[in-house]
Amino acid sequence: MDFRTIVDVPRPDFAIGPQEKILCVGSCFADSIGRRFAEEKFRATVNPFGVMYNPASILHTVERTDCAPRVAFFTLGTNHVYILNETGEIVDNCRKRPQRLFTERELTVDECIGYLRQAVDTLAKRDPEVQVVITVSPIRYAKYGYHGSQLSKAVLLMAADWMARMYQRCTYFPAYEIVLDELRDYRFYAPDMLHPSQQAVDYIWERLSEAYFSEEAKRFLEEWRPIKEALGHRPFNPDSDEYKAFLQKTHERMAALKERYPCLEV
């Protein structure tokens, strides 16, 4: 008997190599995955202008940054946007200004697609080989009501699906489905019962790396893991001969790895 519904993660027609240049833009879920890319020594730029929840704000970040990644991750959180009444422009952050200065509205599927297309096209002008992975954040927005949050996610899912089907350089990674269908238990949520727990994020990372990483990237991560753990070790006695020998051995392993991966920095 199988007591779990496993979400299929199709293997894309490209692979992420070790120390690849990565751009992660989107909701706080993008922050979580982006930090993991950085920890694993990918050259990751993560939300350089802060967390961006909707497709319009994702476009704004892409336009403002000069990053030219080989792989970009767009994590869509909501289709709700806030428009500054004075200018009629969508703002990325209300900066705690009075609510009366803004009008909230919801983007349509076509509007979401339009902003995402512009963002992808902008990156493609910088690197014609760029690949864009689109995800929908599994985080629910309680302030919209849970039914309203689901409606918002539905719009984003439809836009993401269109992009993955119609844009050859775009793929869809089912982070949303993994949390809702594979990890259907509150033990996979943070104490607020809305955000995925670290264990859930680790599992999503595992599924992502299985499908998207090249064999070379997987080998690099296997070699990097013990070095990363050793560097994070906090000894009881840092002046002991044993720890100094341990540290020397770690630095030697690090130097050997750096010879094969010159971009490696610690």
Side-chain angles (χ1 to χ4, degrees):
M1 298 178 69
D2 193 347
F3 293 99
R4 199 156 61 108
T5 53
I6 305 297
V7 174
D8 179 50
V9 181
R11 189 176 296 276
D13 58 5
F14 71 94
I16 298 175
Q19 299 183 287
E20 200 81 80
K21 186 179 287 187
I22 305 286
L23 173 65
C24 294
V25 183
S27 74
C28 45
F29 182 73
D31 268 354
S32 298
I33 293 299
R35 283 196 300 270
R36 187 62 182 266
F37 272 110
E39 289 171 5
E40 303 299 351
K41 295 306 173 184
F42 292 88
R43 291 175 290 166
T45 300
V46 184
N47 278 333
F49 303 106
V51 173
M52 300 294 162
Y53 295 99
N54 64 77
S57 294
I58 288 175
L59 169 61
H60 295 163
T61 290
V62 169
E63 290 176 332
R64 291 174 64 191
T65 182
D66 59 359
C67 183
R70 219 277 294 188
V71 182
F73 284 80
F74 294 164
T75 300
L76 314 179
T78 178
N79 70 328
H80 288 242
V81 297
Y82 289 88
I83 299 171
L84 183 61
N85 296 330
E86 184 180 358
T87 64
E89 296 178 339
I90 294 174
V91 298
D92 302 328
N93 192 317
C94 295
R95 303 187 185 282
K96 299 183 179 180
R97 287 174 288 181
Q99 187 173 353
R100 68 177 183 276
L101 300 179
F102 304 92
T103 297
E104 181 182 2
R105 79 171 184 87
E106 300 168 35
L107 298 177
T108 65
V109 174
D110 286 342
E111 287 174 319
C112 291
I113 291 171
Y115 288 121
L116 292 172
R117 289 180 64 178
Q118 290 182 65
V120 172
D121 291 345
T122 299
L123 291 178
K125 291 177 182 177
R126 300 173 190 168
D127 184 346
E129 303 299 320
V130 69
Q131 297 290 332
V132 178
V133 183
I134 300 177
T135 69
V136 173
S137 171
I139 300 169
R140 293 180 176 88
Y141 290 87
K143 67 178 181 179
Y144 303 147
Y146 296 114
H147 178 62
S149 178
Q150 289 294 83
L151 293 176
S152 176
K153 300 294 186 183
V155 170
L156 300 175
L157 288 166
M158 292 177 68
D161 179 70
W162 190 95
M163 292 293 296
R165 286 187 294 107
M166 302 304 292
Y167 261 48
Q168 188 175 5
R169 68 175 72 253
C170 292
T171 59
Y172 175 72
F173 177 75
Y176 179 82
E177 291 80 1
I178 288 172
V179 172
L180 269 67
D181 293 317
E182 281 196 48
L183 308 180
R184 288 184 291 174
D185 193 299
Y186 279 120
R187 68 193 171 101
F188 294 113
Y189 286 84
D192 66 1
M193 296 293 113
L194 297 173
H195 290 73
S197 67
Q198 186 57 52
Q199 186 179 33
V201 173
D202 289 344
Y203 180 73
I204 292 169
W205 173 262
E206 183 180 307
R207 297 298 308 278
L208 175 69
S209 59
E210 287 173 356
Y212 280 74
F213 288 7
S214 68
E215 291 304 315
E216 185 183 4
K218 293 174 183 177
R219 287 194 298 271
F220 170 80
L221 293 178
E222 285 298 315
E223 292 184 72
W224 165 244
R225 183 177 298 111
I227 298 175
K228 179 177 70 172
E229 292 173 353
L231 292 172
H233 177 66
R234 294 294 178 267
F236 288 110
N237 183 6
D239 296 322
S240 68
D241 292 337
E242 292 82 359
Y243 180 67
K244 290 178 181 178
F246 170 80
L247 204 58
Q248 178 63 30
K249 184 178 180 181
T250 299
H251 287 158
E252 290 172 358
R253 294 172 68 182
M254 183 69 188
L257 191 60
K258 190 174 177 61
E259 281 186 13
R260 286 183 287 126
Y261 300 96
C263 294
L264 184 61
E265 297 180 1
V266 179

